[in-house]
Amino acid sequence: MLKFGLTSATDYHGAKRSRWKRRVSWQLLRTPIPPSAADVTAFEGIVRGLQLSSGVFRTTFRGRFLTLDPHVNRILAELYSADAPLRVEDWAASDCLTSKEWAATLLTEFPHASLEASDLTLYLVEVIHNNESFIVEPGGQLLQSIRPPFVLNCHPPEPWFLPVNHLLMRASVRRWAAIRDTVGPLPDWSLGHCRGDCERPPFRLRQIPLIHPEAEALRRTTSTFTIRRHSVFEPAAVPCHVIRTMNIFNLSYFSPERLRDGIEAVFASLLPEGVWIVGRTLDDDGRLHTASILRKSGDCFQLLERTGSGSEIEALALSRGR
Ligand SMILES: C[S@@+](CC[C@H](N)C(=O)[O-])C[C@H]1O[C@@H](n2cnc3c(N)ncnc32)[C@H](O)[C@@H]1O
């Protein structure tokens, strides 16, 4: 009939075995600085289930590319000298934890390299009004409404078989639609690390960062590791040597026409002879990847290597310019 929500870190940690019975508030992604080990574990557990309004999941996890990274680093070592000032970009990097893990080996093997992680969505916005919190994307799309003891998912919506949640969710969607214009344009917090609140009486706006605390810490301490907002359908501002796009250019997410736009964006972003790693992960342990490692050559891409059966868009990418 109904599901209550988990709105505090204490409840979340206490409800270890019964979490599936409750809705988890996206507010809990706002970890303290510095975070405890339990905060980090909670962040990783929660972010895995977050789905954006586009239908794309945020899913990523610690160690996801531990079998892929050495493979890619070896190919790069064959192509570039260790002192090359490589510019490497990891697109659609979600919370950037896997980028941070890649940086640990890449920046050791290529000490003059830099790694930029990017994603379209680096934070959510919590809009607090009366006794309700609306969790929205920076574009204003409503993901969740929190009215303790309820946490109501708005995208995807609460199902009919939980009628109380469903009816409360519909009421929240209506309330958000009614106040959306009055709240005004949401702040641009695209640097991701600003946690300041924003008072707009009668509303209060708070940021919910979606960057993993460890990636955030590396960004603060290492000038060669950066994070920025970027869409995989837009060319990079400055061409680079290597681009990784894992678990984003999937036929289940985008049409072939849209994927062609992505291929064009990668092509325009790579320097001549630049390398593109594209593919997807097949298992939950992150041991099995089916990826293609391509090289920009003239107007085309050439296949350097494959893991598994290669990317599902490999043929589309190889047809470019031919
Ligand atoms: C499944 S996660 C992949 C994360 C990471 N690359 C990995 O493989 O572990 C997909 C990510 O793509 C991001 N995303 C969706 N549309 C995007 C776009 N147009 N440009 C950049 N990122 C996008 C989402 O925010 C999400 O974090």
Side-chain angles (χ1 to χ4, degrees), residues 8 38 59 67 103 209 232 263 277 287-288:
S8 76
T59 312
T67 60
V232 295
I263 292 167
I277 304 110
R287 303 258 174 263
L288 289 174

Side-chain angles (χ1 to χ4, degrees), residues 52 57-58 60 64-65 92 94 119-120 230-232 246-247:
L52 301 176
F57 278 94
R58 293 291 287 192
T60 191
R64 188 173 211 183
F65 299 127
S94 186
D119 198 278
L120 188 61
H230 168 250
S231 167
V232 295
M246 285 299 289
N247 297 299

